[in-house]
Amino acid sequence: MALYEMAMQVVPVLLIALFIDIRGTDRQAAGGAMRRWTAVQDRVYAALGVVAFMASMLVVADIVAAGRAPAAIVIATLSGCMAMLYVRILQRFARDRSQQHDQVSGDR
């Protein structure tokens, strides 16, 4: 039961982080293909979060029995969310590094 209760607490925080990241990102600076990829990534990230939250809610509400299948769904979707969050972090580091490099090159 702890897995499902934890998922119900963590998933909203992950979705809030996604929302804040979307608002804080300058999407106009990115190219068309990168913007489309980011939009797809955001939709998948949100869908995975909703699936994990709903599966957890159904188990906590005793509508679905806790077992291997619900646990696998929650673990897989949370793992997917964390992997996509890691990719987003790497993209942010790469973008920040390239902007720093451009600024240093422009100063010379």
Side-chain angles (χ1 to χ4, degrees), residues 40-42 44-45 48 79-88:
V40 168
Q41 215 177 9
D42 293 344
V44 170
Y45 186 70
L48 288 173
S79 297
C81 282
M82 295 306 293
M84 292 185 75
L85 181 61
Y86 182 68
V87 168
R88 179 65 60 90

Side-chain angles (χ1 to χ4, degrees), residues 1 7 10 14 25 29 31 38 40 42 45-46 48 59 71 90 92-93:
M1 192 63 72
V10 169
L14 289 173
T25 304
T38 303
V40 168
D42 293 344
Y45 186 70
L48 288 173
V59 171
L90 292 177
R92 172 81 47 98
F93 284 153

Side-chain angles (χ1 to χ4, degrees), residues 32-74:
M34 186 62 171
R35 217 179 359 224
R36 280 191 298 277
W37 169 247
T38 303
V40 168
Q41 215 177 9
D42 293 344
R43 287 186 181 106
V44 170
Y45 186 70
L48 288 173
V50 169
V51 167
F53 186 83
M54 294 302 293
S56 299
M57 186 175 66
L58 292 173
V59 171
V60 170
D62 282 335
I63 296 172
V64 174
R68 289 184 185 258
I73 291 170
V74 171

